[in-house]
Amino acid sequence: MRDKTQPNSAGPGDRLIRAGAVVFLVGAVATLVTVAPLFLGTTPFPTYMFGLSMLMGVGFLIAGAGLLRSIAAGRRQARGASR
């Protein structure tokens, strides 16, 4: 039996993983920007920057959800192929 999936097609969960990576990177940049004044001795950024730093965790959770969705789809496909 040949798999009909195209090599460039996006599987279930791939978009969530990509979106989670982007959100994580935005949070990482916000964290670096927020921490920089502590080392440079300048005035700290406003409080909302600390909230943007939390995007790292949110991005990690989004990517994790995409990974779990991808794993579940792979298991369903494997179960269907074995029957």
Side-chain angles (χ1 to χ4, degrees):
M1 173 191 276
R2 186 168 179 183
D3 188 17
K4 295 178 181 154
T5 305
Q6 298 294 327
N8 59 354
S9 64
D14 285 352
R15 288 186 182 146
L16 278 175
I17 293 170
R18 288 184 187 134
V22 170
V23 172
F24 181 86
L25 288 175
V26 169
V29 169
T31 300
L32 290 174
V33 169
T34 303
V35 174
L38 298 174
F39 295 113
L40 300 175
T42 59
T43 58
F45 284 99
T47 307
Y48 70 87
M49 287 298 289
F50 292 100
L52 285 177
S53 297
M54 299 300 160
L55 287 177
M56 283 179 66
V58 173
F60 189 75
L61 289 174
I62 292 171
L67 184 65
L68 291 175
R69 186 172 180 192
S70 178
I71 290 169
R75 284 184 177 176
R76 280 192 300 269
Q77 185 178 9
R79 243 187 254 138
S82 67
R83 289 183 185 184

